Amino acid sequence: MQTVISQPRQKIIFDCDLGGDIDDAFALALILSSPEFEVLGIVMDHGLTNKRAQVACKMLYLTNREDIPVVVGRKTNQMVGTDIPADYSGQYYWAEGFDKVKPIAKPASEFIIENLRKYPGEVILITVGPVTNIGDVIRKDPEALKLAKHVYSMFGSFYLGYGTADEPNTVIAQEWNVRGDSEASKLLVGSGASITYCGLDVTTKVWFDKELQFKLLMRQSPLTDAICGLTVLWGGDKPCLHDAVTVGMILWPDLFTTRPAFVKISGEAYTVIDEGKEPNCEIAMTVNTGEFLKRLMHRYLTQSLGDLD
Ligand SMILES: [Ca+2]
């Protein structure tokens, strides 16, 4: 007789701007494909959060994961920083009119605080969008975020800016998620919570090329079809997998190196290390790209979520 030993699953909350850049969809798909996680909720941040939530609800419906609550974070204006207008995303059309699964009514900050207080020291909070909801959490309940087991954030540009794996850009950038809400970013950085930042230094090393996209397309499962459809509507040639890499840090820490650092926000949205101060976080330094993509694809190709009927 076979003995089955069940591991306790890791509780997570996933705060994202799904429907913007395409990597949130790849990250959510990795989460749904990973039995290690117990997903307490998927929370939307930035801009048209109601449209983002609709995309999440449809993904959950197609994969039979309607048990996961979708939470609509507060809408913000359609700008990144003060000068970049955000377009109406092509991905929103993918879920236009979809209402078979609806988000829950609770405000995002309330949902996050409630879960952190219900499961102190047990919840990993993952943020892969501007951290508006997290700023709201800290304003309402300054101690709550410290109750997270850990926070993993796709956030910052410490040594590299927006470049590619072949051509790294050594000019550091005002990274999108920091710039998307710099006031909330300052609150996160100063929160005293246990945080690892996965910045452009590692995320710009991981790209999803045409060969991988084609293989994913041919899998023809509800989950992989959803990612492929969203990728086409997104319209770019080759996704950079910023947000999926951040989720990968939790699943496969052996593929990453990190260093402790004291990080502060300088200017509008630069993440700066102060070498003279006691560390307040960890930052991701390297990623094993080949092995990451291999494991990621294995998850996508071997899952069997949703009905094929
Ligand atoms: Ca994102």
Side-chain angles (χ1 to χ4, degrees), residues 107-274:
S109 53
E110 206 176 293
F111 176 85
I112 295 170
I113 290 169
E114 195 177 281
N115 277 287
L116 292 176
R117 292 216 164 266
K118 187 173 174 188
Y119 305 110
E122 290 183 39
V123 179
I124 290 181
L125 176 64
I126 307 168
T127 78
V128 296
V131 292
T132 304
N133 296 323
I134 314 309
D136 290 351
V137 165
I138 297 167
R139 286 184 198 102
K140 276 189 191 165
D141 183 346
E143 296 303 310
L145 204 66
K146 295 179 199 162
L147 298 173
K149 179 178 176 184
H150 203 75
V151 180
Y152 285 87
S153 291
M154 195 282 125
F155 186 97
S157 160
F158 302 98
Y159 300 93
L160 294 178
Y162 286 100
T164 64
D166 297 332
E167 290 182 46
N169 183 352
T170 53
V171 179
I172 64 162
Q174 301 188 82
E175 190 274 317
W176 186 269
N177 293 338
V178 184
R179 192 172 187 169
D181 192 333
S182 56
E183 288 310 310
S185 295
K186 286 173 192 163
L187 291 174
L188 172 66
V189 164
S191 67
S194 171
I195 308 174
T196 297
Y197 299 111
C198 185
L200 300 179
D201 316 288
V202 297
T203 66
T204 56
K205 301 289 174 67
V206 185
W207 298 74
F208 203 76
D209 66 20
K210 287 286 180 198
E211 194 183 327
L212 293 172
Q213 290 173 46
F214 187 61
K215 196 177 266 189
L216 202 64
L217 181 66
M218 287 299 109
R219 171 63 180 81
Q220 297 188 317
S221 73
L223 181 73
T224 50
D225 285 352
I227 319 171
C228 291
L230 288 167
T231 303
V232 173
L233 291 167
W234 165 69
D237 197 36
K238 188 163 76 163
C240 181
L241 297 187
H242 307 280
D243 298 351
V245 171
T246 307
V247 174
M249 288 195 79
I250 306 165
L251 291 168
W252 309 306
D254 58 309
L255 302 185
F256 295 85
T257 61
T258 64
R259 61 153 285 192
F262 181 93
V263 167
K264 62 184 179 186
I265 309 289
S266 163
E268 190 200 333
Y270 289 103
T271 44
V272 174
I273 298 170
D274 187 336

